[in-house]
Amino acid sequence: MARFARSGRRFRNATLRYTLRAVALCAAAALLYAGWLAWSIGREFEGRRWDLPAKVYAAPLELYAGRALAPEDLVGELKRLGYREDPRLPGPGTYRVGLDRVEIATRGFDYAGDIEPARFISLAFTKGRIDDIRDERGEDAAIARLDPLLIGSLFPAHGEDRLIVAPDETPPLLPAALIAIEDRRFAEHHGVDPLAMLRAAFVNLSAGEIKQGASTLTQQLVRSYFLSNERTWTRKLHEAFMALALELRYDKDDLMQAYINEIYLGQDGDRAVHGFGLASQFYFGKPLHELDLHELALLVAVVRGPTYYDPRRHPERALERRNLVLREMADNGLVTRAEAQRAQHGKLDLLSSSRRSATQSAFLALVRRQLAADYATSDLERAGLEVLTTLDPGVQAAAERALTNGIATLGPNAQELEGAIVVTSPHTGEVSALVGGRSGEGFNRALDARRQIGSLIKPAVYLAALESGRYTLASVIDDAPIDVPLDNGDIWSPHDYDGEPRGEVPLIRALAESLNLATVRLGLDVGLEPIAAKLGQLGLAQKPKLYPSMLLGALELTPLEVAQIYNTLANGGFRVPLRAVRSVLGEDGQVLQRYPIKMEQAADPAAVYALDQALVQVMERGTGRTARQQLPADLTVAGKTGTSDDLRDSWFAGFTDDHLVVSWVGFDDDRPTGLTGATGAAKIWVRVFGALEAGSYSARAPDGLETVWVDYLTGEPSAARCADAVPLPLPAEDARPRSILAGCAGESFGARLKHIFRGRDER
Amino acid sequence: MSGGATRRTLGGAASRGLAFVLLATLAACTALEGPRRGAAPGETTPETVTPGAAPTQEGEPSAAGAPARRRNEPAGATQALLAEARAARAAGSYAQASATIERALRIAPSDPQLWVELGEIELASGDPAQAATLARKALTLATDDSAVIADAQKLLRAASGR
């Protein structure tokens, strides 16, 4: 017994000693651990405060007399910008539609140092055009701009996006409402609210699970930093502790502003919507300070559970909670009963998802790529830059519609078909729209799908031929079978698409009908080296391998690279690098960088002019004919089809003075589509073009060229009256001897003379 | 054993007291982290309504004297922007001048006069090669407007140093 007791005492002594040591060790460990927690929350808080993804804006809508713009399109744009219709025009961001005029109080914007003030403008329309535009004194205003549409931000790869608002951009009602709804004792507590905790603990104990939260705003802020939502006691403790640490170091205003900019408020695809600034754009399409009471209340309501109260998915739930928030706000004296009552009758007024464009992420990727040359990723994602881009929201919407609706018409396999579209303004090289696939997210085919371009390469072959001075569009080449010995000893025997050699044809017809045999013969005569060099001058960055198959487009390019080459053709042979960004502004609005128009002459203007006229004939008589017929009869447009081997890729590139559109259609796994350029991509292309406001392609013949009527089938001189006569620009020395005695092909000499003496046919 | 004890210690109710003791240590820890940064940065200051402050010089709506255009182009707007760009160039604000002329070019991309002006800006700001290219570009667009052709050729000569 005694022995037992003694050993027990010894045991107790030892236990005590060990326990004391353990406690001391634990205390030290806990101290270290706590220090680490406090340090990490401090670092997170400081880091997040400066986490400002670059804001990206579309091109502003310019308003001037003569601009093609229907009043309903203007109103659509105003709504996209979050302008509110209000007959009193109470302030910037409002408009009213009268019987014959649309009147706008614009918001104003600083366009890279070029300030557009907020102002009043009044517009009248006739036949889908702005007829006149007046200022508030009723005088003619030459031109005005709307503020640019915010299209997104360059948020980091982990998918969190923010639109930071400063305290002076935050409506004072917002913090007050948050305190009333989420954390009444925010002003008094030190990060945790023991009273609220007790209350919650009681509820949770009686329910047998953690049901009610008693998180203060500070705790919610901490939770949002660490993205974990598990409800365990350890996490709760960490959270409470970090909240205490934050409260110790920062004042309430800082914490409230951080909360407003940080809290999770919704999900937009793979993008997490954080902060009230971005949520305001995401749900209502307008800045936070322009929200009406019922809209602000909805955002406060969503805080409690952005998934559960998702106003788009669960409108009734969201509405109910919004009205609860409004009642609480009235109970707390933040608004009057009457105001709350009125707001409760408001609809949710959400921006419809059709007006949000997920596809703009494809364009944003291009923006990132252009900026990557000059900015580190961390600067783009954190430095609060503003990026003014070239995106035209109207063109972008048209291109997206064209792809979605157009692909659906492309036969039984249309379900899995993919596509891409690039739209540029040829003279300035600005990219006005970019579609990277049917869904806005994921693989960006416009930038990253390298596909065989097929006959899209032919204009480069013909341009090199014309520049050599040995060929004109009327020169005749043989579209007959050809065997090309290759370096490795093989023989390459290309064939025409329909397997039917045409025999002797003029260049114009060989290009318009995209004849392979004639093109190979022409290309081999001109030489692979000059053709590859020409491609480089037109804007191709990579140097193609000099295989004869290059002449038929055995060359893999992205739609954007194709657009660069065709943009040079559409711009009279002047290469201007395609640009998606006009300028970058720093946090305080100063211009960090401008990306101005820079041009280089890449080809002889006369040869490009002749080539472009041939591309007009592609549309009038050749492979682009079907597409051409769906456009207005008086529109002159130039274009080219492209089809790769076994019909794996279907391309179309075509332009006028105002737009170049490149479209591609194919399967991601490269299997044959059964579509040619004409039966696939051209159908998408024509949908884009049909929706655009476009003037004709209208270049002028340079000195030294004369436009002559030539027989399309033979290249012989022809009279303008003949069915197959096409007007071709030819070098003056080639043109003169041809024109006098021209008749139609197959016509007797006597008949020709008769026409000449009657003198009827000269147009 | 001691790891488990630590966790129990922290996880237990006693940790509340401990946590508050630790706060004192923390205050020291956090104070060592360096000075606080300023308030959350603001955005571009929004413009206020200034009635009557038109940003552009008002051009003649009919643009009398402007060369004939191929399409029904909004001469009033481009002429106003051209005048604004010329004023900016005269004042030596080349970036502003070229931004303004680019704005006009988006409205009327095949107006040779605008390309000549952009070339003049490039020449003035020290890029004669670019100026020469833009003069050539203007010449491809201006085949029947002798005044603009003369301007473009003059620019081309000046830019080529001839």
Side-chain angles (χ1 to χ4, degrees), chain A residues 525-742:
Chain A
D525 187 54
V526 172
L528 298 180
E529 186 67 61
I531 292 168
K534 188 45 62 186
L535 277 168
Q537 285 164 345
L538 292 175
L540 180 64
Q542 63 182 4
K543 188 161 168 25
K545 293 203 178 85
L546 299 180
Y547 299 139
S549 60
M550 174 189 99
L551 297 170
L552 298 182
L555 185 64
E556 292 174 351
L557 299 186
T558 66
L560 187 68
E561 288 173 319
V562 168
Q564 176 70 70
I565 293 170
Y566 274 77
N567 196 84
T568 309
L569 297 178
N571 189 21
F574 290 87
R575 183 182 67 244
V576 46
L578 295 186
R579 294 167 305 141
V581 178
R582 289 179 185 165
S583 34
V584 179
L585 314 187
E587 220 182 276
D588 45 359
Q590 87 282 17
V591 185
L592 295 183
Q593 191 125 17
R594 240 172 58 75
Y595 294 89
I597 295 174
K598 291 282 173 190
M599 256 181 212
E600 268 183 76
Q601 193 158 12
D604 170 37
V608 174
Y609 176 78
L611 177 78
D612 286 354
Q613 293 304 316
L615 294 178
V616 169
Q617 291 306 319
V618 170
M619 302 305 289
E620 297 297 327
R621 294 180 169 263
T623 52
R625 207 173 49 244
T626 317
R628 167 73 191 83
Q629 284 161 0
Q630 295 169 55
L631 294 172
D634 59 350
L635 186 73
T636 305
V637 53
K640 184 72 193 82
T641 49
T643 313
S644 69
D645 285 347
D646 304 324
L647 311 181
R648 293 170 200 279
D649 300 279
S650 166
W651 291 90
F652 200 89
F655 55 87
T656 64
D657 278 359
D658 298 315
H659 306 284
L660 159 70
V661 178
V662 173
S663 59
W664 167 84
V665 171
F667 288 115
D668 280 345
D669 62 7
D670 212 20
R671 88 192 114 99
T673 60
L675 298 168
T676 64
T679 60
K683 292 190 174 168
I684 312 285
W685 178 89
V686 80
R687 278 172 186 267
V688 183
F689 241 93
L692 298 178
E693 165 62 28
S696 282
Y697 170 74
S698 63
R700 301 177 172 196
D703 294 343
L705 287 185
E706 227 165 88
T707 297
V708 178
W709 291 90
V710 170
D711 185 79
Y712 171 75
L713 300 171
T714 63
E716 290 297 309
S718 171
R721 65 186 155 80
C722 309
D724 288 317
V726 288
L728 293 187
L730 300 178
E733 62 272 21
D734 289 301
R736 269 188 208 101
R738 291 167 171 260
S739 51
I740 306 284
L741 275 180

Side-chain angles (χ1 to χ4, degrees), chain A residues 124-398:
Chain A
F125 297 84
T126 22
K127 291 185 198 144
R129 275 180 194 278
I130 298 176
D131 204 34
D132 73 62
I133 165 166
R134 303 213 188 121
D135 62 19
E136 79 285 347
R137 287 170 306 200
E139 288 169 23
D140 271 323
I143 184 163
R145 281 171 288 194
L146 295 182
D147 44 318
L149 181 68
L150 180 69
I151 55 173
S153 49
L154 301 180
F155 57 90
H158 58 77
E160 283 178 41
D161 196 6
R162 275 173 187 71
L163 192 60
I164 302 296
V165 289
D168 62 357
E169 299 165 304
T170 310
L173 207 48
L174 176 61
L178 286 168
I179 289 173
I181 306 301
E182 293 291 326
D183 185 4
R184 286 198 198 156
R185 290 172 17 86
F186 179 69
E188 291 99 50
H189 64 62
H190 297 287
V192 289
D193 188 353
L195 276 179
M197 273 182 160
L198 275 177
R199 181 168 42 85
F202 176 74
V203 172
N204 294 338
L205 277 177
S206 52
E209 57 179 328
I210 300 183
K211 210 172 173 185
Q212 187 174 4
S215 301
T216 62
L217 293 179
T218 323
Q219 280 170 297
Q220 293 181 31
L221 179 62
V222 169
R223 193 177 315 156
S224 121
Y225 283 158
F226 292 101
L227 294 172
S228 141
N229 224 358
E230 48 165 337
R231 293 185 167 179
T232 66
W233 288 108
T234 6
R235 191 196 52 89
K236 286 235 164 250
L237 193 76
H238 285 177
E239 191 182 288
F241 184 78
M242 286 174 156
L244 284 168
L246 276 186
E247 292 268 353
L248 208 68
R249 202 168 148 201
Y250 300 98
D251 62 39
K252 293 282 181 185
D253 289 345
D254 281 344
L255 292 171
M256 177 56 87
Q257 207 58 37
Y259 181 91
I260 284 171
N261 282 318
E262 173 64 37
I263 205 72
Y264 174 67
L265 285 165
Q267 192 70 30
D268 180 20
D270 57 4
R271 175 175 85 141
V273 176
H274 283 262
F276 282 83
L278 186 62
S280 174
Q281 291 287 347
F282 175 62
Y283 289 115
F284 306 111
K286 52 184 173 180
L288 185 59
H289 61 81
E290 281 185 19
L291 292 190
D292 291 328
L293 176 58
H294 68 288
E295 295 164 328
L296 193 71
L298 179 65
L299 293 186
V300 174
V302 163
V303 168
R304 186 55 67 85
T307 315
Y308 189 79
Y309 294 111
D310 182 340
R312 290 201 174 92
R313 284 221 194 128
H314 309 293
E316 278 149 33
R317 253 184 227 168
L319 191 73
E320 199 179 313
R321 181 157 169 85
R322 182 200 71 184
N323 290 345
L324 175 79
V325 166
L326 284 167
R327 283 195 298 277
E328 294 261 323
M329 285 171 80
D331 289 347
N332 282 271
L334 301 178
V335 294
T336 65
R337 296 258 166 229
E339 283 170 328
Q341 203 74 56
R342 216 173 311 126
Q344 287 197 42
H345 288 112
K347 294 194 200 112
L348 288 178
D349 286 343
L350 297 172
L351 189 68
S352 73
S353 43
S354 67
R355 272 195 272 141
R356 288 183 303 125
S357 175
T359 331
Q360 281 163 0
S361 65
F363 184 82
L364 290 177
L366 179 61
V367 168
R368 258 184 196 273
R369 223 164 277 197
Q370 186 183 332
L371 293 178
D374 299 306
Y375 296 89
T377 312
S378 57
D379 287 342
L380 296 179
E381 292 171 356
R382 320 193 63 145
L385 305 177
E386 296 196 312
V387 182
L388 306 183
T389 75
T390 58
L391 183 86
D392 182 326
V395 176
Q396 176 72 28

